[in-house]
Amino acid sequence: MARKMSDTERAARDVVNKYVRDGLMERSQANAAIRDGLRIAETTVRKHYREGFGSALYYGGKVAAAREEFDAAKGMIARRMKGARLLATEIYAAVFAVVEAEEGPRDGDQLTPEQAADVMATVRDTAREVREEARTRRYVPAA
């Protein structure tokens, strides 16, 4: 008889399956990530949710930052390390979405992890543009 998979495990497996399909990890590594990290992720997210910490935008920001670092990584080892961080943040975001669905949203708007990551990526890009613009204004030589 097959065991029943929890909603958080299903969400985490959906995340790691994407990595397996893309060839970034093997099935055994995906199973180890779930086995070794899911309980910690779920316990942490549930505790923080009960205490009023964390939001879809918080986890989306973490995913956006990790994705940006992964995309910028050069070399096999750097990509593997940044890929592991991206995987962990995506698992946490997926677990948060399940916890929020089970407990009910605290905020007015309920965002999916993908929507929150997109919003926070846009925020990061805008902040970078503002910093670059301010930097170029400071260093413009007077004619």
Side-chain angles (χ1 to χ4, degrees), residues 1 5 27 54 62 69-70 81 87 90 93 112 116:
M1 181 173 185
M5 194 178 304
R27 176 60 56 195
K62 295 290 187 183
E69 290 174 5
F70 177 75
M81 297 300 294
L87 172 67
E90 286 185 347
T112 66

Side-chain angles (χ1 to χ4, degrees), residues 48-71:
H48 286 173
Y49 195 84
R50 278 193 308 270
E51 294 175 356
F53 299 113
S55 69
L57 292 175
Y58 170 79
Y59 289 104
K62 295 290 187 183
V63 170
R67 186 168 291 128
E68 186 177 301
E69 290 174 5
F70 177 75
D71 291 341

Side-chain angles (χ1 to χ4, degrees), residues 14-40:
D14 289 345
V15 169
V16 297
N17 284 341
K18 179 175 56 175
Y19 284 77
V20 172
R21 276 192 308 275
D22 293 344
L24 297 174
M25 67 175 17
E26 296 178 17
R27 176 60 56 195
S28 62
Q29 293 170 313
N31 290 338
I34 297 293
R35 183 180 59 246
D36 298 340
L38 183 60
R39 174 171 277 157
I40 295 167

Side-chain angles (χ1 to χ4, degrees), residues 62-124:
K62 295 290 187 183
V63 170
R67 186 168 291 128
E68 186 177 301
E69 290 174 5
F70 177 75
D71 291 341
K74 304 286 188 240
M76 185 179 73
I77 294 174
R79 287 188 62 80
R80 181 169 294 263
M81 297 300 294
K82 297 303 180 182
R85 179 169 183 258
L86 178 59
L87 172 67
T89 58
E90 286 185 347
I91 288 174
Y92 270 81
V95 168
F96 176 81
V98 170
V99 169
E100 187 176 43
E102 289 175 357
E103 303 287 332
R106 284 189 313 233
D107 305 316
D109 295 329
Q110 187 173 4
L111 299 172
T112 66
E114 294 81 18
Q115 290 169 328
D118 290 342
V119 167
M120 294 311 290
T122 303
V123 168
R124 291 175 63 82

